[in-house]
Amino acid sequence: MDLQGQIIQYLATGLTLGSIYAMVGLGFTIIYNATGIINLAQGEFVMFGGLIMVFFTTTLGLPLFLSFFITLALTTGIGMLYERLFIHHPSKTAPLMTLLIITVAVSIFFRGIAMFIWGKEPYSLPHFSSPEPIIIGGAAILPQVFWILGLSLLAVILMNIFFNRTITGKAMSACAVNRVAASLVGIDVSKMVLLSFALSATLGALAGASITPIALMEYDRGPMLALKGFCAAVLGGLGFGTGAVVAGFLLGLIESFTTGFISSAFKEATALIILILVLFIKPSGIFGSAEVGKIKKI
Amino acid sequence: MGKNNYLKLLVMAAIIAVVPLIVSGDYHLSILVFMGINCMVVVGLSLLMGYAGQISLGHAAFFGIGAYSTGILTTQFGLSIYAAFLCGILFSSLVAVIIGIPALRLQGHYLAIATLGIGEIIYIIFNEMVGLTGGPSGLSNIPAFHVGGYPFSHSIQYYYLVWGALLVILWFSLNLIHSRVGRALKAMHGSEVAAGAMGINLSAYKIQIFVLSAIYASIAGSIYAHFVSFIAPNNFAFMNSIMFLMMGVVGGLHNIWGAVMGASLMTFLPEYLRVFKEFDILIYGAILLAILLFMPEGFLEGIPMLYRKYFKRGEA
Amino acid sequence: MNHKKLSKISLITAFTLFFCLSLTGPAMAQGPIKIGFVASITGGASWLGQPEKDTALMVQEWINKEGGIKGVPVQIIIEDSKSDASQAVLATKKLIDGDKVVAIIGSSTSGESMAMASICEAAKIPMISMAAALQIVTPADEYKRIAGTIESPRVQRPWIFKTPQTDTSAVEAIYAHMKKKGITKVGIVTVSDGFGSAGRNELKRMAPKYNINLVADEVYGPKDADMTAQLTKIRTSGAQAVINWSIGPTQVIVTKNWKSLAMGMPLYQSHGFGNKKNIELAGGSAEGVIAPLGRLIGWEKLPKIHPQYKVLSRYATEYEKRTKSDVSTFGGHGYDGLYLAIDSIKAVGPDRTKVRDFLENDIKNWPGTGGVFNMSATDHTGLDLSAFEMIQVVKGDWAFAK
């Protein structure tokens, strides 16, 4: 394999990993903006996305396309239920620190539920299209990789349109800037918070359903993904959606190229050291402006 | 330190002395030892969060530094336990200063994110430096703690060691809270700007508290290593940091006693839930959620509050 | 002291009392013979713990249906270590202290077993681990002595035994097969947990003995989603074969990645690959994968006179009937541990020291699921290379590798 082939291969791997981190990171950002909460149960949305999809495709035998949308809908429902049951009420009185820990408790609880429904074994899904790799410049790339990339890019573009072009999206952005002011101009903040959890869950489900064919899924995959996604969100400037997405891709690429050209033992360390350096040199994240980057008091 | 706190410390000392008369057996005493170890870490976190208003998402790393320092130095370099303990403390203070100085100068919660990153890096170091740490397979055969050549062979000795140390830590921390530093921190918690204007050197105090909490965690880690005699990187990963935070929040972060209660309850609960076999993760999560939802200020404040709310509506 | 503070103090006192009271259990009366069983039923290694637990429940049923041990019923007390060493320690202490068990089987992972071993040694209670690392049964000094050499240990920890084939044997089986195939340059990729790092250690240690040159040494995390980058690197290193050392979902992901890269070199997996579920999950990608597996996999193909045949056919058919899932080597490790303990107790009675002596001296030609055990003072595993068959995945099923 020549150098060009290698680079294309690492690029493909990095982008695949990156798109997962990006979607989880974006999910973090959406909830953080609406509520100031760092939702550590974000990885569980991904897990539910994968496993619910397995249930409909493999167990019930529904067509892939149909079960994909059912999965998105159901996970979104889980996200909304989560907000109404565990966040809505305490968010009025509890300190943000308690809310953060509530999200941890929810993630433990979700894992418990998933363990009961699906057990501890990993599950796989059929590829969305052919499982045969396509050879590009000497590198072998699975069609599923294009699905993952395509779906995540689509999601990011839709989110961007939503936040910048629609009234509801703009209302949500307003909540992020100043909740009190937003409610004063007649925005239903409570509804916006609910919506943020719904969107975030949808993104998680999208990521989960699309990676399961290549990465499998089991009940306790969530925390790891949450950690990576959180790093992406911070690196991109917490609270800045596009930043989180770019940072997510960057993180994936760093991991993949470090593995290829330095050592796989240090792939995570390299990513983290970059994170820390960025924090100390440019605290608002790579893409965050000083204004957006001002971290809310947890 | 108020009279009230002296009384509480005395009560606690009495309880510590009496408990072994009621509780016996290696198993039960071991739970109490783990409880004390967790209390130490969480008391430090409580100082950092409840009083200095900073969050650490990487305290398991300091716990790990303590554990690995004593573990490595005693098994591979033949250092005495006390010297190893001290090295652990020095080492974790050093790391705390290195992270703390840049992070705490910044506004907001950069410490939270910086500790998260450093915590993960330290975890990777534990995993990758196989020659020293034994890598993911862990480091075993760490010698038992000993005093003057008498090794600790039973949990009861560790029980007294841990809870004795915790008493000292509590005494020190309570004194600190009621000293100049504590008052400065309290002012800072109210308003950083105002406190700064009064001439309080904010970042210096914050760093001191951060280092202190790292030292507590390191001591706890060293005791843990000698007690279990085996350590592996798993015990010092991100989720463990979150567990420590959770213990603090469940007990109530604004009070050191809350930290003690939270750590005790959260160590004890999983053992109690053993009877539920595999359902325990579900029940554990549910109990945790219930506590957090109904007592958002923590257990210590929450129970009297709920009590007043439901039983003494007239008086409250 | 005002009212609020008083209520706080009373709260603390009540709390403490509650702890103390719930910590004092009643003393145990004479009853069934108790065997402790610690497994990683939940947490990261639950993959191992689940089949082990199912096996323990099944064995308990069997033995009591047969009338227990000399008429005394057997109780297997199962504890979950949550894949965490300190939980394993607590569970072990509970079993020794509260339940007063005769012997302890456990735990599923090497790390937990290491933590438990020192307690069992101090309490003088026989422990049979279900994890593979040689370190578990070998004293630290002895292990240090043989590290970096290709020697076997000369002493073992007196109270500690284990049932899985040692990593060393699995590695040697793979290397022997490679030697036969003329493979000399090998790339290894291992998971960064206890299982993977122990395997990596043995892979490096034994390579010179078989004239194998390790040209790449890559690692990945236990929850990583893609190992294409690691495999690509191995591909460029000039290796003639890849060895992957992991358990759980990652070994399937590596298989999928290996297939999608069309690497043009064989993939060897560790002895942890022995579960048909892996072939199923890999969805066709596992075709051609080679692994050293115990005879539990593909037992149907054994001649009926094989010493293990009876044990294997009973265990495999009953397990599959009971759990409706494919039999795995891990459950088998639990089975061997439990029956080693039960047979020893049958022979010498529920006496910890006698059971230990019996395990060390009298387990000879003992057929288990992992192989035919021959324990001795210098070998507390009792299995060698011959416990393994090189198995290859052919048309979605196991077949003996050529």
Side-chain angles (χ1 to χ4, degrees), chain C residues 5-329:
Chain C
K5 275 175 188 152
L6 199 71
S7 75
K8 252 186 225 168
I9 289 194
S10 55
L11 178 65
I12 294 177
T13 321
F15 196 68
T16 327
L17 265 176
F18 169 68
F19 275 155
C20 297
L21 289 178
S22 39
L23 286 180
T24 48
M28 284 295 150
Q30 260 296 335
I33 292 172
K34 288 176 175 172
I35 299 173
F37 192 88
V38 183
S40 318
I41 303 170
T42 55
S46 56
W47 239 67
L48 307 170
Q50 190 62 40
E52 288 164 357
K53 188 196 101 182
D54 290 337
T55 303
L57 289 172
M58 185 169 83
V59 167
Q60 173 166 279
E61 233 176 78
W62 284 1
I63 193 83
N64 288 328
K65 217 177 264 172
E66 290 162 11
I69 298 176
K70 289 179 183 158
V72 185
V74 175
Q75 188 187 354
I76 298 173
I77 302 166
I78 302 170
E79 293 293 342
D80 181 8
S81 70
K82 297 173 187 160
S83 311
D84 171 12
S86 28
Q87 289 292 327
V89 163
L90 278 178
T92 310
K93 291 191 169 176
K94 177 186 171 283
L95 289 171
I96 297 176
D97 238 48
D99 301 315
K100 312 255 184 281
V101 295
V102 182
I104 291 178
I105 320 297
S107 180
S108 319
T109 70
S110 303
E112 293 160 51
S113 302
M114 294 295 293
M116 288 166 61
S118 45
I119 300 163
C120 291
E121 262 186 334
K124 297 205 184 315
I125 184 163
M127 171 185 138
I128 307 172
S129 169
M130 298 180 283
L134 190 58
Q135 240 181 318
I136 301 167
V137 289
T138 312
D141 296 338
E142 180 68 6
Y143 190 77
K144 218 172 259 173
R145 186 184 69 80
I146 62 164
T149 72
I150 51 168
E151 277 182 72
S152 325
R154 284 192 219 120
V155 278
Q156 299 275 274
R157 298 169 82 164
W159 293 89
I160 316 299
F161 301 82
K162 74 180 176 73
T163 53
Q165 306 90 342
T166 301
D167 305 327
T168 325
S169 317
V171 167
E172 289 198 67
I174 290 178
Y175 281 167
H177 188 258
M178 287 181 161
K179 203 170 177 184
K180 209 170 75 190
K181 295 270 165 190
I183 294 170
T184 53
K185 282 188 277 178
V186 175
I188 63 170
V189 54
T190 55
V191 67
S192 61
D193 65 11
F195 184 81
S197 77
R200 182 181 174 199
N201 206 7
E202 293 304 307
L203 283 166
K204 287 189 187 164
R205 192 165 79 91
M206 301 315 286
K209 188 173 166 188
Y210 292 86
N211 290 322
I212 299 256
N213 185 13
L214 298 184
V215 288
D217 171 14
E218 299 297 319
V219 294
Y220 53 84
K223 288 284 161 200
D224 280 8
D226 190 295
M227 292 77 176
T228 312
Q230 284 88 336
L231 292 176
T232 306
K233 197 171 176 198
I234 290 177
R235 186 186 199 173
T236 59
S237 68
Q240 295 163 290
V242 197
I243 306 175
N244 173 56
W245 213 270
S246 68
I247 36 176
T250 45
Q251 60 185 346
V252 179
I253 302 176
V254 168
T255 311
K256 288 186 162 206
N257 294 159
W258 166 72
K259 170 79 178 179
S260 74
L261 281 176
M263 289 177 69
M265 57 180 94
L267 170 65
Y268 287 78
Q269 293 268 10
S270 74
H271 51 316
F273 198 67
N275 187 335
K276 217 165 212 171
K277 187 100 207 227
N278 287 326
I279 303 181
E280 215 175 280
L281 282 172
S285 304
E287 207 56 28
V289 169
I290 308 169
L293 300 178
R295 295 194 179 78
L296 184 53
I297 305 305
W299 61 273
E300 301 99 325
K301 297 180 184 90
L302 284 180
K304 286 213 166 81
I305 47 155
H306 193 279
Q308 283 177 267
Y309 186 83
K310 225 177 96 193
V311 177
L312 293 176
S313 67
R314 181 182 182 206
Y315 174 68
T317 38
E318 291 283 315
Y319 182 92
E320 287 177 1
K321 206 165 78 193
R322 193 186 154 98
T323 62
K324 311 239 170 349
S325 56
D326 288 313
V327 71
S328 78
T329 30

Side-chain angles (χ1 to χ4, degrees), chain A residues 28-53:
Chain A
F28 264 115
T29 313
I30 292 173
I31 291 184
Y32 178 80
N33 272 345
T35 61
I37 298 171
I38 291 165
N39 172 33
L40 288 173
Q42 192 67 35
E44 271 63 36
F45 291 149
V46 182
M47 179 269 291
F48 274 132
L51 291 180
I52 293 177
M53 179 92 171

Side-chain angles (χ1 to χ4, degrees), chain A residues 77-91 102 106 109-110 194, chain B residues 289 293-294:
Chain A
I78 292 176
M80 291 165 82
L81 206 64
Y82 164 23
E83 196 275 338
R84 281 294 120 152
L85 285 179
F86 305 123
I87 301 292
H88 182 66
H89 177 68
S91 67
I102 287 180
V106 169
F109 188 63
F110 277 173
L194 182 66
Chain B
L289 274 170
L293 291 180
F294 294 108

Side-chain angles (χ1 to χ4, degrees), chain B residues 11-255:
Chain B
V11 171
M12 190 173 152
I15 294 175
I16 292 171
V18 171
V19 163
L21 299 179
I22 314 171
V23 179
S24 62
D26 205 21
Y27 167 57
H28 295 134
L29 283 167
S30 301
I31 299 177
L32 292 172
V33 172
F34 283 124
M35 209 181 257
I37 288 172
N38 289 335
C39 282
M40 261 182 228
V41 182
V42 181
V43 164
L45 274 181
S46 156
L47 280 181
L48 182 69
M49 296 199 291
Y51 295 89
Q54 296 291 324
I55 293 172
S56 165
L57 293 177
H59 248 55
F62 294 115
F63 186 59
I65 291 177
Y68 270 103
S69 300
T70 40
I72 293 169
L73 292 173
T74 50
T75 55
Q76 311 207 1
F77 296 93
L79 227 65
S80 90
I81 281 179
Y82 301 106
F85 248 82
L86 274 181
C87 288
I89 289 173
L90 278 177
F91 204 61
S92 41
S93 331
L94 193 72
V95 175
V97 169
I98 292 172
I99 320 170
I101 287 181
L104 287 167
R105 283 221 179 110
L106 296 164
Q107 283 278 317
H109 285 279
Y110 284 98
L111 186 70
I113 293 148
T115 44
L116 171 97
I118 298 277
E120 281 303 291
I121 290 176
I122 291 173
Y123 171 71
I124 292 169
I125 292 175
F126 291 155
N127 256 319
E128 294 303 329
M129 293 189 50
V130 182
L132 276 179
T133 63
S137 312
L139 189 67
S140 51
N141 297 87
I142 300 165
F145 195 83
H146 58 76
V147 173
Y150 292 99
F152 282 19
S153 56
H154 195 269
S155 310
I156 186 81
Q157 291 145 327
Y158 284 99
Y159 167 81
Y160 285 121
L161 173 73
V162 170
W163 287 89
L166 184 65
L167 266 185
V168 175
I169 281 178
L170 281 172
W171 173 79
F172 185 80
S173 308
L174 287 166
N175 265 322
L176 187 80
I177 294 167
H178 292 90
S179 71
R180 198 184 146 80
V181 182
R183 285 193 298 274
L185 288 173
K186 208 174 267 174
M188 193 166 85
H189 213 40
S191 161
E192 289 214 0
V193 181
M198 300 278 290
I200 297 172
N201 186 350
L202 298 173
S203 52
Y205 282 131
K206 282 190 207 164
I207 288 165
Q208 281 168 24
I209 294 288
F210 182 55
V211 170
L212 189 68
S213 74
I215 290 175
Y216 289 174
S218 163
I219 296 174
S222 299
I223 298 179
Y224 174 88
H226 290 298
F227 179 60
V228 180
S229 89
F230 169 85
I231 47 177
N234 272 357
N235 294 85
F236 314 111
F238 174 64
M239 275 324 280
N240 296 71
S241 297
I242 296 290
M243 281 319 260
F244 286 133
L245 266 186
M246 185 181 268
M247 290 174 183
V249 170
V250 164
L253 275 174
H254 297 293
N255 191 321

Side-chain angles (χ1 to χ4, degrees), chain A residues 1 5-6 9-10 13 16-17 20 115 120-125 127 131-133 138-142 211-216 218-221 224 228 255-256 258-265 267-268, chain C residues 40-47 49-50 53 200 217-236 248-250 252-253 256-257 259-262 277 280-283 325:
Chain A
M1 199 181 210
Q6 281 179 53
Q9 194 75 61
Y10 294 135
T13 308
T16 315
L17 290 173
I20 304 165
M115 196 179 85
K120 296 153 196 163
E121 290 145 49
Y123 289 86
S124 186
L125 271 178
H127 289 243
E132 290 307 314
I141 300 169
L142 285 172
I211 61 165
T212 305
I214 57 170
L216 312 184
E218 69 278 346
Y219 81 106
D220 63 348
R221 188 68 74 85
M224 182 65 189
K228 289 280 171 65
E255 282 190 9
S256 153
T258 312
T259 303
F261 295 108
I262 305 172
S263 162
S264 48
K267 67 181 164 68
E268 256 126 39
Chain C
S40 318
I41 303 170
T42 55
S46 56
W47 239 67
Q50 190 62 40
K53 188 196 101 182
R200 182 181 174 199
D217 171 14
E218 299 297 319
V219 294
Y220 53 84
K223 288 284 161 200
D224 280 8
D226 190 295
M227 292 77 176
T228 312
Q230 284 88 336
L231 292 176
T232 306
K233 197 171 176 198
I234 290 177
R235 186 186 199 173
T236 59
T250 45
V252 179
I253 302 176
K256 288 186 162 206
N257 294 159
K259 170 79 178 179
S260 74
L261 281 176
K277 187 100 207 227
E280 215 175 280
L281 282 172
S325 56

